[in-house]
Amino acid sequence: MKILLTGGAGYIGSHTAVELLNAGFDVVIADDFSNSSPEVIRRIEKITGKAVSVYHVDVADEKALEGVFEDNSIDGVIHFAGFKAVGESVKIPLAYYRNNIGCTLTLLETMEKFGVNIIIFSSSATVYGTPKALPLAEDMTTGPCSNPYGSTKLFIEQIIMDAAAARKELTAVLLRYFNPVGAHQSGLVGEMPNGIPNNLMPFISQVAVGKLARLNVFGNDYPTKDGTGVRDYIHVVDLAKGHVAALNYGVKNPGVEVFNLGTGIGYSVLDIVNAFVKVNQIEIPYVITDRRAGDIAECYANAEKASRLMGWKAGLTLEDMCRDTWRWQKNNPNGYE
Ligand code: UDP
């Protein structure tokens, strides 16, 4: 099967490309490289020993996207393309709606035109809004989201569900990611945030490599075991394998299905710092600061549905996440430059 990955050169897309190629799928990547590097493609090919077809296109550009479908007989799509910075989405919400939703509409229309009937969507646990209960399960109510980035994910889920209701041949698997961290075990691909990282693990690894002086721990007065925020961190390679499982599931089970991709385990900020220090034998200086606006105390998945229906389960540990993050950071202090 030939699978199109929109945004396939990004952090999660690149790891998914590796797992798809390893599983015997052909991979076509469409990416505008606005937040990724063409070097990623070379690394994917180096890891897998297989070739990838690459198109430097904006997925919202109908003519350019049609060219990709004309050149390739696409059997399914995994849709990663989109802006993803939470803070930026608050500052330029219209750009986020225009880009993330625009890309999706063009993609769905093009899929219909070319008779492509399966889409896997890169959604997020942020669609649940402030958790009403924990762990979060797929049948819990969604929204309102605390930022426009999250709202784009929620709205796109709805758009895909509406498209699938109107066109019965369309199968969709919506994947709600918890907190992806880590990097491929080869140390060749990983996360490359722009500027100062917002997320915890990239921040820690930049402290470790000496680019940042210390970590600010955003609050230690939450009602959690040590007062710091608790999240469900998932190794990006497990997450990538979740996409392969979703594709195999969608091929056999027409319709629309939603899955959490998490481990079901919550770790605090200090758990992550302590594990990173222990596994990598490197100091991470930190200070406790005020809470970050908009943060919640705890968020973790009920991961049972993906295990029951897709036979997928996260297998890598917190130690794996810390070790692999550091290997990537240490080997590539300036990302793909
Ligand atoms: N966090 C922190 N310092 C940082 C970045 C994050 O203490 O520099 C905390 C944050 O308050 C939250 C956890 O780490 O409790 C995960 O934050 P991240 O931004 O990675 O993910 P999200 O909040 O979107 O789940």
Side-chain angles (χ1 to χ4, degrees):
M1 278 179 88
K2 191 176 266 195
I3 309 301
L4 171 65
L5 274 54
T6 71
Y11 174 44
I12 299 169
S14 57
H15 288 83
T16 302
V18 167
E19 296 308 320
L20 285 168
L21 290 162
N22 285 342
F25 291 91
D26 291 324
V27 169
V28 178
I29 287 177
D31 204 301
D32 67 359
F33 295 99
S34 60
N35 191 23
S36 57
S37 162
E39 170 65 14
V40 174
I41 307 299
R42 211 183 57 75
R43 304 273 179 106
I44 293 168
E45 292 180 335
K46 188 168 178 192
I47 293 169
T48 61
K50 293 182 179 167
V52 177
S53 305
V54 185
Y55 290 81
H56 190 153
V57 297
D58 176 350
V59 176
D61 177 342
E62 191 183 319
K63 281 281 154 291
L65 189 64
E66 282 183 6
V68 177
F69 282 78
E70 272 157 14
D71 284 1
N72 298 279
S73 170
I74 303 289
D75 298 299
V77 175
I78 308 185
H79 180 35
F80 297 103
F83 294 162
K84 60 171 189 179
V86 171
E88 184 182 62
S89 80
V90 177
K91 294 193 187 106
I92 48 167
L94 301 185
Y96 270 66
Y97 290 117
R98 168 76 68 198
N99 182 65
N100 293 5
I101 292 173
C103 278
T104 308
L105 295 175
T106 305
L107 178 62
L108 289 167
E109 285 164 354
T110 309
M111 287 176 67
E112 180 165 2
K113 196 163 170 183
F114 286 82
V116 178
N117 294 334
I118 179 160
I119 182 167
I120 314 296
F121 175 57
S122 167
S123 188
S124 165
T126 190
V127 300
Y128 291 110
T130 304
K132 289 102 199 159
L134 289 166
L136 289 162
E138 292 86 346
D139 57 1
M140 288 181 177
T141 54
T142 51
C145 296
S146 53
N147 56 74
Y149 159 76
S151 299
T152 67
K153 293 293 181 190
L154 184 58
F155 298 163
I156 291 169
E157 284 195 0
Q158 187 63 52
I159 289 167
I160 293 174
M161 287 191 270
D162 291 343
R167 183 162 85 85
K168 291 289 175 226
E169 311 81 63
L170 183 64
T171 284
V173 185
L174 313 177
L175 300 177
R176 294 178 179 161
Y177 310 155
F178 280 69
N179 290 56
V181 295
H184 192 263
Q185 289 84 348
S186 61
L188 288 171
V189 292
E191 190 171 15
M192 187 188 61
N194 268 334
I196 296 177
N198 289 307
N199 295 115
L200 180 64
M201 193 64 105
F203 202 106
I204 290 176
S205 65
Q206 292 204 10
V207 171
V209 84
K211 284 189 155 189
L212 298 166
R214 73 190 67 80
L215 170 71
N216 297 310
V217 175
F218 297 144
N220 66 350
D221 57 353
Y222 284 105
T224 60
K225 61 174 184 176
D226 60 21
T228 65
V230 166
R231 298 288 183 276
D232 184 335
Y233 297 91
I234 173 168
H235 196 296
V236 65
V237 171
D238 276 332
L239 192 73
K241 289 178 177 165
H243 293 72
V244 179
L247 202 49
N248 289 329
Y249 176 84
V251 167
K252 291 194 210 91
N253 300 274
V256 180
E257 204 64 72
V258 184
F259 293 103
N260 286 339
L261 293 186
T263 64
I265 302 167
Y267 287 115
S268 73
V269 176
L270 295 182
D271 286 336
I272 304 295
V273 173
N274 293 335
F276 197 97
V277 168
K278 188 164 173 219
V279 171
N280 298 316
Q281 296 291 304
I282 190 158
E283 284 312 306
I284 303 295
Y286 70 85
V287 288
I288 308 290
T289 64
D290 288 345
R291 291 180 179 192
R292 179 172 67 180
D295 271 359
I296 51 177
E298 285 192 285
C299 176
Y300 51 92
N302 177 333
E304 183 273 331
K305 183 176 173 187
S307 164
R308 180 166 43 88
L309 295 186
M310 300 199 294
W312 171 90
K313 230 180 170 161
L316 296 167
T317 64
L318 178 57
E319 286 68 34
D320 297 319
M321 301 178 207
C322 292
R323 190 195 57 234
D324 295 337
T325 299
W326 180 228
R327 185 186 297 114
W328 154 252
Q329 178 71 68
K330 194 173 52 182
N331 293 350
N332 307 269
N334 298 311
Y336 292 104
E337 277 170 22

